[in-house]
Amino acid sequence: TTLFRSQILQSVQAFETRHGMSPDIIYINPFHYEGLRRYHPDLFDSDEPVPLGFRLVIVPASVLSHPEAALSGCLHASSRVA
């Protein structure tokens, strides 16, 4: 049940280690999104948004098999999912 969350956290930590700053976008596929909704409904059921510190962007599973952290406007990230 924590697989989805741990994959996202690993992506965030790897990004922070490489770049010395936190990402503001996490790219996930629909499978990850559904897992988060199923196992962490508190993130989505609240009347007020839960501050994650980043935006979740859902891309097709054919493009992305594991979560990937990025900074908005980063050429690496936009070319990865385009």
Side-chain angles (χ1 to χ4, degrees):
T1 62
T2 60
L3 175 65
F4 304 103
R5 187 176 58 193
S6 69
Q7 287 180 341
I8 290 171
L9 292 176
Q10 286 174 358
S11 176
V12 168
Q13 291 169 343
F15 184 92
E16 290 173 340
T17 299
R18 275 192 312 272
H19 303 286
M21 64 182 72
S22 297
D24 60 357
I25 295 176
I26 306 296
Y27 294 101
I28 60 175
N29 65 36
F31 177 72
H32 295 115
Y33 178 72
E34 289 305 317
L36 286 173
R37 287 189 58 84
R38 180 175 182 186
Y39 296 112
H40 302 286
D42 52 310
L43 293 176
F44 304 93
D45 292 342
S46 175
D47 288 336
E48 295 193 26
V50 175
L52 298 174
F54 50 80
R55 288 182 13 204
L56 290 174
V57 176
I58 303 166
V59 298
S62 61
V63 174
L64 185 74
S65 59
H66 298 288
E68 185 172 318
L71 284 174
S72 57
C74 177
L75 290 176
H76 164 76
S78 60
S79 64
R80 170 79 169 95
V81 296

